[in-house]
Amino acid sequence: MSSLSNKRILLGISGGIAAYKSADLVRRLKDRGAEVRVVMTTGAREFVQPLTFQALSSNPVYSDLLDPAAEAAMGHIELAKWADLVLIAPASAQVMAKLACGMADDLLTTLCLASEAPLALAPAMNQAMWRHPATAANAQTLHNRGAHLWGPAAGSQACGDVGPGRMLEPADLALQAEAMFGNNDCLRGKSVVITAGPTREALDPVRYLSNHSSGKMGFALAEAAQRAGAQVTLIAGPVNLNSPAHVKRVDVVDAREMRDAAERAADLCDIFISAAAVADFRPAALAEQKIKKREGHDESSIALVKNPDIVAGIAARTKRRPFTVGFAAETQQVEQYAQSKLKRKKLDMIVANDVSRTESGFNSDHNTVTVIDRSGSNTLPPALKTDLAKQLIEIIANKAQQ
Ligand code: PMT
């Protein structure tokens, strides 16, 4: 049964060419058992007739804040309270700006202010509008307030431009909604170990080698796994993040400490997820004192030795081997390199991310990932790491059961 079964979804449609796709979205949400009520802005009505949505949702379509007939049937406050989720698809730059400012000058924005339900936005606009600092700031404000941003996808646009700003496909939006409600029990009774963040490999008392991992992806996975019912141990490199609630956190600094903590925790776990960006190499020698510049020497070199491969060590176990998931951070040929890591490290699954992009991967709130196992690969729509984590946990829980 879908997690959308009997969920009440208030679908807001704002003005944009992608509004025609929302008709398909209504059908897909209803196919999964959701009840859907549609609110259209004046702009949206210029693109698609309300009658289309009335027929597909089997409910009247709401448009006007001050319509006495609509208010008598189901007033706007009642409608706001009715919703389990407010989903705006497409969400135009205009509606995002109004929501970021807390404006309530039409029915849709008023409902958003009056509703305590989670808010999800599927942005759709011209690529330059999406990239504009004003829109970026509005998106960030909404995200900081807890709104889910689903997409946008990149590609060719109705206006002829190419870039980010396409609304996610209805099937992907329905999947996101399904993942948001999720099967909260999918890891009940399971023990999960997750590594997160970078490692720091000391060179001398004041210097180290490291990378840009913030830990956000691993921490989001830990929170999602805990919410899915698992007992979670989070092994964290040096990061500036608060621990998710009810998660056991073990702080480590370098790769060998992370390996020791992982080996200990993995003895009792069902699933091991390696989201940490472990330094592949460390300085061959640790200087006891700060290394000094040498007069007349303009060049210097550092000898490095290989660090233990933590996830490969867990996957190579013959006893107490958990279902083992790695991540692959790649800057080119993402899927091919991830495939070869899956085989070489003998993992059950690998999550590939393209870390050459600035808007996802390292130290971003967003990511775009492809899940790969022996049965094939599946690229998930770009999303917040917190939303992706819920989807990944569901996928991992399913695969680990097979
Ligand atoms: O932390 P964020 O800022 O949120 O960024 C998230 C992320 C980009 C770091 C994350 O999504 C990610 O991709 N993590 C893996 C980064 C990495 O080190 O990838 P890799 O391709 O070098 O390693 C492949 C796998 O082997 C990874 O699961 C890694 O944890 C593991 N590994 C690598 C080296 C090593 N010595 N031991 C390991 O266990």
Side-chain angles (χ1 to χ4, degrees):
M1 190 173 70
S2 166
S3 61
L4 292 184
S5 177
N6 297 323
K7 289 289 180 299
R8 295 180 296 201
I9 299 180
L10 191 62
L11 176 63
I13 303 176
S14 63
I17 185 62
Y20 80 92
K21 290 189 183 175
S22 305
D24 187 26
L25 177 58
V26 174
R27 196 178 55 80
R28 288 176 187 272
L29 295 172
K30 285 201 63 174
D31 284 350
R32 287 168 165 80
E35 190 182 344
V36 181
R37 287 179 185 264
V38 175
V39 177
M40 297 180 80
T41 64
T42 317
R45 294 168 68 149
E46 298 292 327
F47 287 93
V48 194
Q49 286 293 316
L51 196 57
T52 308
F53 293 103
Q54 184 173 313
L56 287 168
S57 69
S58 318
N59 279 313
V61 171
Y62 306 83
S63 293
D64 297 321
L65 185 54
L66 305 172
D67 175 351
E71 283 294 302
M74 192 185 225
H76 66 275
I77 298 292
E78 220 178 317
L79 198 52
K81 286 189 174 149
W82 170 86
D84 294 318
L85 166 69
V86 178
L87 165 59
I88 305 185
S92 62
Q94 156 93 338
V95 89
M96 289 177 64
K98 289 208 270 184
L99 291 175
C101 293
M103 283 173 70
D105 65 344
D106 61 9
L107 180 61
L108 182 56
T109 48
T110 304
L111 285 171
C112 288
L113 269 193
S115 178
E116 288 176 0
L119 172 67
L121 304 164
M125 65 197 74
N126 165 269
Q127 54 83 24
M129 292 170 80
W130 173 251
R131 291 186 211 267
H132 194 285
T135 309
N138 291 332
Q140 189 62 49
T141 301
L142 292 164
H143 164 58
N144 293 346
R145 266 186 224 146
H148 301 268
L149 289 173
W150 294 343
S156 57
Q157 305 199 298
C159 56
D161 281 7
V162 177
R166 282 169 62 95
M167 187 172 92
L168 289 189
E169 292 304 320
D172 291 330
L173 288 173
L175 267 180
Q176 297 271 12
E178 211 163 28
M180 203 202 84
F181 286 107
N183 172 5
N184 278 338
D185 272 347
C186 65
L187 287 179
R188 175 86 39 223
K190 300 286 181 205
S191 165
V192 177
V193 175
I194 299 172
T195 66
T199 63
R200 271 184 197 168
E201 312 297 328
L203 180 58
D204 69 15
V206 295
R207 303 184 180 98
Y208 55 81
L209 302 180
S210 192
N211 57 64
H212 295 293
S213 170
S214 62
K216 288 177 187 172
M217 191 70 244
F219 274 56
L221 285 163
E223 181 166 352
Q226 192 280 328
R227 288 187 179 211
Q231 269 198 335
V232 180
T233 302
L234 174 61
I235 302 172
V239 294
N240 279 319
L241 296 174
N242 293 326
S243 304
H246 313 299
V247 161
K248 179 180 170 197
R249 173 166 171 180
V250 180
D251 285 310
V252 296
V253 176
D254 64 29
R256 286 174 295 172
E257 278 178 31
M258 186 174 273
R259 187 261 329 265
D260 294 346
E263 287 289 347
R264 268 194 305 275
D267 278 344
L268 297 172
C269 87
D270 304 292
I271 297 172
F272 183 88
I273 306 175
S274 186
V278 184
D280 288 321
F281 292 91
R282 66 178 182 277
L286 168 61
E288 269 182 38
Q289 305 298 333
K290 183 179 169 198
I291 299 168
K292 305 298 285 179
K293 285 193 281 280
R294 283 193 294 157
E295 208 52 47
H297 287 76
D298 288 343
E299 287 182 11
S300 180
S301 56
I302 307 166
L304 299 174
V305 291
K306 223 170 174 188
N307 264 329
D309 192 317
I310 302 169
V311 75
I314 303 287
R317 286 177 166 214
T318 48
K319 282 188 196 156
R320 296 190 187 148
R321 182 190 183 280
F323 183 85
T324 309
V325 181
F327 270 70
E330 307 294 348
T331 53
Q332 53 172 336
Q333 298 177 54
V334 178
E335 223 173 302
Q336 292 92 309
Y337 284 139
Q339 288 274 12
S340 74
K341 278 182 187 163
L342 175 79
K343 290 195 189 107
R344 184 159 34 86
K345 300 191 185 217
K346 298 191 169 52
L347 307 174
D348 297 302
M349 191 177 128
I350 197 155
V351 181
N353 37 204
D354 181 348
V355 292
S356 64
R357 309 176 184 195
T358 48
E359 74 279 8
S360 70
F362 281 105
N363 201 15
S364 160
D365 288 329
H366 298 82
N367 213 354
T368 310
V369 301
T370 302
V371 178
I372 305 169
D373 68 3
R374 271 158 237 288
S375 66
S377 70
N378 174 22
T379 300
L380 305 181
L384 286 169
K385 284 178 178 168
T386 44
D387 289 331
L388 272 178
K390 289 182 204 154
Q391 293 181 63
L392 288 172
I393 287 298
E394 273 206 37
I395 295 171
I396 292 168
N398 273 331
K399 298 270 182 194
Q401 261 174 9
Q402 288 168 8

